[in-house]
C-alpha cells in the first residue's frame, strides 16, 4: 500500500516534469455564479479529465509507461528518467464519454465504439477562466 502510494507520487512528479505529446483541449462549459444580491452571472469555465484518463507511453514507442497503475520499472526506474523517457498524450474527451454544449455537461457511463458499448465512467474537474481548478 505504502509502496503503491509512493510509486504513484513518483509518477505524478514525473508527469509534471515533462512536456505533453500534444496539448490537452478541455471542453468549454458555461457555468453560473448566483448570489441573492447580484443574480446569476455566466462565467467561461472548462472541464478537465483526471490524469488517469491519459495514455502515458515511451517517447519513441507505444509501450505504456504505466498500465493499470503498474509502472514499467525499465522505462521508469526513477522520476527524472521517467520524465525523459515518457510522454503524456492529450485526453480524448469523446472516447472518455465527456461532452459539453453551452451550459450543459454530459458524462456517459458507456460509449459506443465499433458497435459495442465500452465502459467510460469519466471523472472530471471544473477549471476556472484562468485554467485553475475551481472548488
Ligand atoms: C474553448 O473556447 C476558446 C475560446 O473561445 C477556444 O479558443 C477553444 O478552442 C475552445 N475549446 C474547445 C475544446 O472547443
Ligand atoms: C517495459 O518496457 C520495456 C522497454 O521498453 C519493454 O521491453 C517491456 O516489454 C515493458 N514491460 C511491460 C510489462 O510492458
Ligand atoms: C477520440 O476518440 C474517438 C472515439 O473513440 C475517435 O473516433 C477519435 O478518432 C479519437 N481522437 C483522437 C485524436 O484520437
Amino acid at each position: 500500500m505504502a509502496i503503491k502510494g509512493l510509486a504513484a507520487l513518483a509518477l505524478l512528479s514525473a508527469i509534471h516534469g515533462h512536456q505533453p505529446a500534444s496539448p490537452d483541449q478541455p471542453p468549454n462549459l458555461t457555468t453560473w455564479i448566483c448570489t441573492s444580491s447580484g443574480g446569476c452571472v455566466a462565467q467561461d469555465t472548462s472541464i478537465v479529465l483526471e490524469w488517469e484518463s491519459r495514455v502515458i507511453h515511451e517517447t519513441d514507442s507505444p509501450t505504456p509507461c504505466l498500465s493499470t497503475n503498474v509502472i514499467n520499472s525499465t522505462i521508469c526506474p526513477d522520476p527524472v528518467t521517467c520524465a525523459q523517457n515518457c510522454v503524456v498524450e492529450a485526453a480524448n474527451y469523446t472516447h472518455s464519454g465527456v461532452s459539453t454544449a453551452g451550459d450543459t455537461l454530459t458524462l456517459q457511463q458507456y460509449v459506443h465504439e465499433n458497435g459495442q458499448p465500452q465502459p467510460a465512467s469519466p471523472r472530471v474537474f471544473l477549471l476556472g477562466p484562468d485554467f485553475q481548478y475551481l472548488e
Side-chain angles (χ1 to χ4, degrees), residues 58 61 63-64 67 72-75:
E58 229 179 345
S61 91
T63 305
S67 20
N72 183 322
S73 57
T74 309
I75 309 173

Side-chain angles (χ1 to χ4, degrees), residues 76-133:
C76 287
D78 60 77
V80 172
T81 312
C82 191
Q84 287 165 352
N85 289 347
C86 299
V87 290
V88 184
E89 292 292 342
N92 183 329
Y93 288 86
T94 308
H95 174 77
S96 299
V98 179
S99 57
T100 61
D103 62 2
T104 302
L105 167 66
T106 304
L107 300 176
Q108 291 174 267
Q109 191 74 27
Y110 292 90
V111 292
H112 260 90
E113 276 180 16
N114 309 317
Q116 296 289 324
Q118 304 284 344
S121 236
R123 195 152 64 118
V124 296
F125 300 92
L126 185 63
L127 299 181
D130 56 358
F131 294 103
Q132 299 298 310
Y133 290 109

